[in-house]
Amino acid sequence: VFDADFVPPADFLKRTVPHFVDPEIGMVQACWEHLNRDYSLLTRVQAIFLDAHFLIEHSARNRSGRFFNFNGTAGIWRRQAILDAGGWQHDTLTEDLDLSYRAQLAGWRFLFLPQVKVPAELPVEVNAFKRQQYRWAKGSIQTARKLLPRLARAPIPLRAKVEGFIHLTNNMAYLLMIGLSLLIFPAMLLRIGTDAALMLWIDLPLFLGATGSVLIYYSASQVLRGAPERGWLRRLPAVMGLGIGLAINNSRAVLAGFARQVGAFERTPKYRIEGAGGGCAYKLYLVASDPSAWVEGLFALYFVGCFAAAIWLKMWPSVPFLYLFVTGYCYMFALAFFSGRNREARLPT
């Protein structure tokens, strides 16, 4: 199974089909690579997101005997595994994730091959990227609503149940991110006059705890990929900032995932962009601007004010933490604002 923008290597079948000699293997998933990784900052950050998903998450889940999912493309299914799972079903927006869990609950094993890489095109326009993230987040919640009761009752190891619960519900963390965003300024007001040394003792562990594990996670994926350190190290703040900036878009998706309406599947547009150069064929169709962009703009103004207030009040330990929020929301709003006025997706890096 391949999406239209995927370019499999000539020896793909020779490297994947032999694994089906094992009668328990129901699906073999290859690793995504990216044709236009270096096109812009947006594509570079997306590439790091996906590298971590495949090289860390998929590898760890597969090696430890936990469930992982078919990614909708760059994989091969055994027909009987699909039949035993109940077939493809259209009651979620992530039918690949849904089928993956049903097949593994039916007893089939999956195999991830990180050494088999299949390149594809990353979204270069922010509204297309947000549409993709919205669909994935909403679909994961729909799948959780559908399958968590069955997962809880299944005769599988507890570790697989716990990881499955975390996997299917992890997008709910975006709702917590919105709550954190709204509480930051009141928290700053409550701490006016607090001793700077005491603030350092409180803020530094919180900052390191909130960011350290994330930095290690994405850093490990780039080390495994063999990427030059001078490139990915300086992009880590942008990676964290963009993750924060997605909070509005993905929180909307999570809330929509709890509704009973499945929703329409809106595909992610691709424009045959490879490498660092090339233009965008926007003549095919345009992606409508997302109304959440204006909410992101309000959050951007809010955090610019918080950042300025922290400097004015000399709350220096809070500045690095606030910087991530400022860059995240400002970057997402700026991309959407300029994209709405100029359909050229390439932005300065």
Side-chain angles (χ1 to χ4, degrees):
V1 181
F2 292 103
D3 283 350
D5 59 305
F6 276 70
V7 187
D11 62 349
F12 179 82
L13 293 177
K14 291 183 178 179
R15 301 174 68 186
T16 53
V17 170
H19 295 283
F20 286 95
V21 170
D22 185 341
E24 296 183 354
I25 295 294
M27 190 278 297
V28 172
Q29 173 71 56
C31 185
W32 291 11
E33 191 43 73
H34 318 293
L35 293 168
N36 58 335
R37 175 188 292 268
D38 294 321
Y39 183 79
S40 68
L41 180 61
L42 180 62
T43 58
R44 290 187 178 103
V45 171
Q46 288 180 72
I48 293 175
F49 282 160
L50 289 169
D51 290 341
H53 171 66
F54 282 93
L55 297 177
I56 304 296
E57 292 182 34
H58 267 13
S59 294
R61 288 173 178 142
N62 188 207
R63 291 177 181 175
S64 63
R66 291 162 172 83
F67 288 2
F68 78 97
N69 61 292
F70 171 57
N71 293 99
T73 179
I76 301 180
W77 276 88
R78 189 190 296 270
R79 181 173 181 269
Q80 191 59 47
I82 297 176
L83 295 175
D84 290 349
W88 293 95
Q89 298 176 6
H90 55 79
D91 53 352
T92 73
L93 289 181
T94 48
E95 73 287 350
D96 45 6
L97 176 63
D98 172 35
L99 177 62
S100 297
Y101 266 75
R102 286 188 281 113
Q104 290 170 103
L105 287 170
W108 289 96
R109 288 175 45 229
F110 287 5
L111 180 65
F112 174 58
L113 301 178
Q115 70 276 16
V116 180
K117 300 184 184 298
V118 184
E121 181 185 327
L122 294 164
V124 298
E125 199 264 340
V126 68
N127 291 313
F129 170 61
K130 289 170 68 175
R131 171 188 289 184
Q132 181 190 68
Q133 294 296 312
Y134 183 95
R135 186 178 71 241
W136 289 352
K138 180 178 178 180
S140 70
I141 297 301
Q142 291 173 328
T143 304
R145 287 177 51 234
K146 176 181 178 179
L147 296 180
L148 280 182
R150 183 174 169 184
L151 180 70
R153 296 191 301 266
I156 58 175
L158 179 61
R159 66 176 186 274
K161 293 183 180 182
V162 172
E163 172 58 24
F165 175 82
I166 294 171
H167 184 195
L168 294 177
T169 61
N170 68 74
N171 281 296
M172 293 180 65
Y174 285 106
L175 296 174
L176 301 178
M177 183 66 70
I178 297 296
L180 175 63
S181 298
L182 293 174
L183 289 172
I184 282 181
F185 186 66
M188 289 177 60
L189 293 178
L190 290 173
R191 293 165 52 176
I192 292 177
T194 304
D195 181 69
L198 178 61
M199 288 176 59
L200 181 64
W201 279 104
I202 296 173
D203 284 357
L204 185 60
L206 288 175
F207 178 76
L208 294 177
T211 61
S213 59
V214 179
L215 291 173
I216 292 171
Y217 169 64
Y218 288 115
S219 298
S221 72
Q222 297 310 291
V223 171
L224 287 172
R225 196 178 71 85
E229 290 184 10
R230 60 184 181 182
W232 59 263
L233 277 175
R234 68 171 181 264
R235 296 189 189 108
L236 287 179
V239 169
M240 298 189 66
L242 187 60
I244 293 171
L246 282 170
I248 303 294
N249 180 74
N250 288 11
S251 292
R252 289 178 55 238
V254 168
L255 294 175
F258 284 107
R260 294 198 175 274
Q261 294 84 1
V262 177
F265 184 99
E266 297 180 341
R267 67 177 293 270
T268 306
K270 302 295 175 64
Y271 304 106
R272 198 176 181 180
I273 296 175
E274 301 179 12
C280 298
Y282 284 109
K283 295 179 181 178
L284 295 175
Y285 59 87
L286 303 180
V287 181
S289 297
D290 193 305
S292 67
W294 295 108
V295 182
E296 291 162 359
L298 292 175
F299 271 67
L301 288 174
Y302 172 70
F303 276 103
V304 167
C306 290
F307 190 77
I311 294 175
W312 183 57
L313 296 170
K314 297 182 179 180
M315 294 181 171
W316 306 118
S318 301
V319 169
F321 187 68
L322 290 170
Y323 172 78
L324 296 176
F325 285 81
V326 171
T327 56
Y329 287 117
C330 286
Y331 183 62
M332 290 300 291
F333 177 69
L335 284 177
F337 182 82
F338 288 110
S339 178
R341 284 153 178 74
N342 183 357
R343 285 298 176 178
E344 174 58 52
R346 189 173 185 183
L347 296 173
T349 59

